[in-house]
Amino acid sequence: MPVPIDTHREEAAVMPGGKRNGGALTTGGASGDAPALPRATPLLKRHFTGENLPQVRAQVEDTAAAAGLGGVRLGEFTLAVSEIAANAVEHAGGQGRLELRLLPHELECRITDDGPGFTPAIPELPGLTGTCPGRGLWLAHLVTDRLTVRTDTTGAGAGAEVTLAMRLG
């Protein structure tokens, strides 16, 4: 049974094991204060298309390695980013935007597009044929520590935003 992620531009984070967090992820301030957002350092920001996707993958891998991600985790992060970017190319008009940021304890990548939006659901175990959509989301969810999807399901063309992150250390 698929795990629904999101509808109508609301944010929902899906953690490993299918646990959901319907709110934005923030770090808390002092008691009673509004939550403070984590401090982020931009590392890479660029537009991508199907033509330059191989170069973008290499840039993501090099930048993630320089930020401290290594070994199997580096390969998994690069693969997850690649899958989500390829989804934007295939399903959202052939292009997208990528932003890689360093947070205090994790590396985060946000991929956005201007496609028609979709109803995201992560299948528990996708099929190996083209008749079962969601393999890229499933794989990214499987290997990352945090996956957040925001999308427009109204058909207004507001696109999608997928954020994935890996803990450092």
Side-chain angles (χ1 to χ4, degrees), residues 71-82:
V72 172
R73 304 274 292 163
L74 174 61
E76 290 174 341
F77 183 77
T78 304
L79 177 62
V81 169
S82 177

Side-chain angles (χ1 to χ4, degrees), residues 108-135:
E108 177 185 86
C109 184
R110 180 173 295 132
I111 297 170
T112 57
D113 64 56
D114 295 323
F118 64 105
T119 302
I122 299 173
E124 287 183 22
L125 185 59
L128 298 177
T129 67
T131 61
C132 182
R135 288 186 306 273

Side-chain angles (χ1 to χ4, degrees), residues 134-151:
R135 288 186 306 273
L137 277 173
W138 175 80
L139 180 61
H141 173 254
L142 184 67
V143 301
T144 59
D145 296 319
R146 177 169 54 94
L147 175 70
T148 305
V149 178
R150 292 171 38 139
T151 186

